[in-house]
Amino acid sequence: MLRVDIVTIFPDYFREVFDYGIVRRARAAQLVEIKAHDLRSWTADKHHMVDDRPFGGGDGMVLKPEPVFAAVRSLTGVDRREEIPADKRVVLLSPQGKQLTQELAAAFAECEHFVLICGRYEGVDERVAEALVTDEVSIGDYVLSGGEPAALVVIDAVVRLLPGALGSETSATTESFSDGLLDCPQYTRPPEFEGLRVPEILLTGNQAGIARWRRRAAEEKTKRNRPDLLKN
Ligand code: 6GU
């Protein structure tokens, strides 16, 4: 069973999002346990302060290190990166992180416990990245107001890779990027909709012809939408 702990100033944000689809099924089957924790519960002062003004000046507030270190200590038993066992990951979600890939999601899916710390866009005291976390992760080159939506993305990408999570669907679903191409286009009934026809070859039952068409269509779509995947 994979254990996932989310550390956030908005625990209620996660109230229902894990109650749908594959993630819901994986939780019901006890493949994963997901809990969202309020960062403020690890504050010691009476105002439950989680952020403060940046040293050196500037706009915005920065998440303080003490509650974040205390959260990781209480959830993992340790509060230094070097002491975190190989089967655990402590992840800081921030736009400064390395970008999430299918490969990284697969590595996360192999661990037994991971902690996701949701940053705020203004910043997190850098000592968290320097000394506490095993991975600093971004989900792409755009700015979110906080790490919470990124945590959802990471969890979805990881949970569907857990053995048994996809049920009857084939594990080939993980392979969209493994051959370096996007998935081929798919069609279903009706064969004609408002004058828009399904490619004729798909209606023939000619499996070899269909396989050739799919390969070509995947290559064309990749060239059009993701030419960067073809350049290497
Ligand atoms: Cl993980 N956090 C924020 N705030 N923005 C992001 C992101 C994360 N990944 C992409 N943009």
Side-chain angles (χ1 to χ4, degrees):
M1 149 101 87
L2 172 63
R3 174 178 164 203
V4 180
D5 289 301
I6 306 163
V7 177
T8 171
I9 59 170
F10 299 131
D12 289 344
Y13 180 91
F14 299 93
R15 198 162 281 288
E16 293 184 0
V17 282
F18 303 122
D19 292 346
Y20 300 91
I22 285 165
V23 176
R24 179 197 183 99
R25 284 214 320 254
R27 292 173 66 215
Q30 310 225 32
L31 302 176
V32 63
E33 179 183 42
I34 307 168
K35 288 187 188 159
H37 306 270
D38 190 345
L39 179 62
R40 287 182 203 282
S41 70
W42 284 286
T43 52
D45 64 301
K46 85 170 181 196
H47 294 109
H48 303 289
M49 265 198 14
V50 293
D51 56 10
D52 206 338
R53 294 159 63 204
F55 277 130
D59 291 333
M61 299 286 273
V62 175
L63 278 190
K64 294 166 65 61
E66 303 96 314
V68 179
F69 276 71
V72 171
R73 189 184 314 128
S74 95
L75 294 168
T76 69
V78 298
D79 64 0
R80 284 295 183 274
R81 174 183 25 253
E82 312 83 69
E83 296 166 4
I84 297 170
D87 59 356
K88 295 182 194 282
R89 299 280 196 131
V90 176
V91 176
L92 173 63
L93 295 160
S94 99
Q96 284 75 46
K98 61 186 166 186
Q99 196 163 323
L100 181 68
T101 59
Q102 190 63 31
E103 188 184 6
L104 189 58
F108 290 160
E110 302 223 314
C111 71
E112 67 106 33
H113 182 195
F114 80 108
V115 178
L116 294 167
I117 301 161
C118 300
R120 305 307 305 160
Y121 83 99
E122 298 94 335
V124 178
D125 187 286
E126 189 65 15
R127 287 167 287 192
V128 170
E130 283 169 4
L132 181 61
V133 306
T134 59
D135 304 85
E136 185 172 7
V137 172
S138 158
I139 60 165
D141 290 339
Y142 38 81
V143 180
L144 305 171
S145 50
E148 286 79 10
L152 301 182
V153 168
V154 172
I155 290 168
D156 191 281
V158 168
V159 167
R160 61 187 293 290
L161 295 178
L162 298 175
L166 292 185
S168 59
E169 298 156 55
T170 62
S171 61
T173 323
T174 65
E175 286 170 8
S176 183
F177 293 95
S178 66
D179 61 357
L181 293 178
L182 301 178
D183 275 349
C184 68
Q186 302 283 359
Y187 297 86
T188 187
R189 292 184 291 178
E192 180 175 345
F193 166 72
E194 295 183 358
L196 304 170
R197 289 200 54 81
V198 169
E200 223 40 58
I201 183 75
L202 298 178
L203 310 178
T204 63
N206 169 2
Q207 288 306 314
I210 289 169
R212 275 193 303 275
W213 179 89
R214 284 182 166 159
R215 175 81 197 180
R216 232 193 115 92
E219 285 166 358
E220 277 168 16
K221 185 138 187 166
T222 306
K223 195 165 149 192
R224 178 155 33 93
N225 284 351
R226 293 294 307 277
D228 56 298
L229 293 178
L230 296 173
K231 281 168 191 146
N232 51 41

